[in-house]
């Protein structure tokens, strides 16, 4: 095959362009700090980077969900703690009425105190964080009326903390303070304190029993408010368990995020020392190629015939 000067020139230009492209790519990588600035630089690595970005973004979203859930559950837990303290006061008043004499002054004082405690309990049931009522379910309006009627929903908002894994962010006020929706029947006699407890209804029944000096009704009230206090304690334990789960998941996600970001950085971030050495080598080779091409381009067939 005859090698013409044109073919030699085209080949020389092609090689010079390849060398120039390699230098330009290295300079771009050093300037941007990224190994891959466009998909065509390395399609396989680009796909890996996109997958890693998606996983990191998902982790960030799960972390955000956990933070929101923790805030709601901490507010819920604070309210439950206050409710538990209040129920201890209700239990004490009920116990004093069983042990003491039902004189007019003592009865009036007990009724007044229980009425105030019931109002405080309803206020706690209307606790909210921003525009969200923590005991109202999905309802955006106040879940408890001034008399304790529940108008929220008993289902609990959930947040996703991992693929196909959710955690409830609140407690159902209807289940907690009314024993369900509609409210559970207030126990009496042998059934007092058994099954779900309508705490607000039990306090109302206790107030009525004290007002009418109904000894059996007061005894039933003691059992019911004790069961109600236990119901709140169970809710506290449930919330505490969810907070522990969220804390563990948050730590796991943080560790996973660090690993993913490290892998991402290993693929994408430029090793400046290595890139500088390679750029120097490529520049030297390119300059040598330019010099050699310049000298070769000055030769003709007559130079070989001398």
């Amino acid at each position: 095959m005859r090698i013409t000067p044109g073919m030699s020139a085209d080949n020389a230009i092609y090689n010079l362009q390849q060398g120039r492209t390699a230098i330009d790519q290295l300079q771009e990588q050093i300037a941007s700090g990224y190994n891959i600035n466009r998909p065509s630089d390395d399609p396989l690595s680009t796909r890996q980077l996109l997958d890693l970005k998606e996983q990191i973004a998902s982790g960030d979203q799960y972390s955000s969900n956990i933070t929101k859930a923790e805030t709601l559950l901490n507010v819920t837990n604070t309210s439950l703690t206050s409710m538990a303290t209040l129920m201890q006061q209700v239990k004490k008043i009920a116990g004093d009425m069983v042990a003491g004499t039902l004189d007019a002054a003592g009865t009036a004082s007990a009724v007044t105190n229980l009425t105030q405690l019931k109002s405080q309990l309803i206020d706690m049931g209307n606790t909210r964080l921003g525009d969200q009522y923590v005991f109202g379910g999905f309802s955006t309006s106040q879940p408890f009326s001034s008399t304790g009627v529940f108008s929220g929903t008993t289902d609990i908002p959930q947040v996703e903390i991992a693929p196909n894994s959710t955690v409830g962010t609140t407690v159902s006020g209807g289940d907690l303070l009314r024993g369900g929706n509609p409210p559970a029947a207030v126990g009496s006699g042998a059934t007092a304190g058994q099954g779900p407890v309508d705490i607000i209804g039990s306090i109302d029944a206790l107030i009525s029993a004290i007002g009418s000096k109904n000894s059996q009704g007061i005894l039933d009230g003691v059992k019911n408010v004790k069961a109600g206090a236990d119901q709140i304690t169970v809710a506290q334990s449930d919330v505490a368990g969810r907070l522990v789960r969220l804390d563990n998941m948050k730590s796991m996600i943080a560790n996973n995020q660090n690993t993913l970001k490290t892998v991402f950085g290993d693929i994408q971030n430029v090793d400046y020392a290595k890139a500088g050495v390679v750029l120097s080598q490529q520049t030297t080779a390119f300059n040598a190629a330019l010099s050699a091409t310049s000298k070769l381009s000055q030769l003709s067939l007559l130079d070989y015939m001398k």
Side-chain angles (χ1 to χ4, degrees), residues 102-186:
L102 300 178
D103 58 86
T107 298
S109 177
V111 168
T112 298
N113 289 336
L114 286 173
T115 300
Q116 291 299 318
L117 290 172
K118 173 195 167 186
S119 296
Q120 291 176 32
L121 187 64
I122 291 172
D123 290 340
M124 294 172 189
N126 287 326
T127 299
R128 68 178 183 177
L129 177 64
D131 295 329
Q132 184 171 357
Y133 289 92
V134 297
F135 295 106
F138 286 97
S139 176
T140 56
S141 59
Q142 186 170 287
F144 289 97
S145 69
S146 59
T147 59
V149 176
F150 181 72
S151 59
T153 65
T154 55
D155 44 354
I156 299 173
Q158 305 280 325
V159 296
E160 191 172 26
I161 61 172
N164 302 315
S165 180
T166 61
V167 169
T169 58
T170 60
V171 171
S172 167
D175 290 340
L176 178 68
L177 298 182
R178 299 310 312 246
N181 193 19
V186 177

Side-chain angles (χ1 to χ4, degrees), residues 5-6 11 31 38 43 46 64 69 71 90 153 168 175 188 200 204 218 263 283 288 297:
N11 188 56
R38 59 187 62 81
T46 298
S64 176
T71 301
V90 173
T153 65
D175 290 340
S188 62
I200 294 175
D204 283 336
I218 295 173
V263 174
T283 302
S297 64

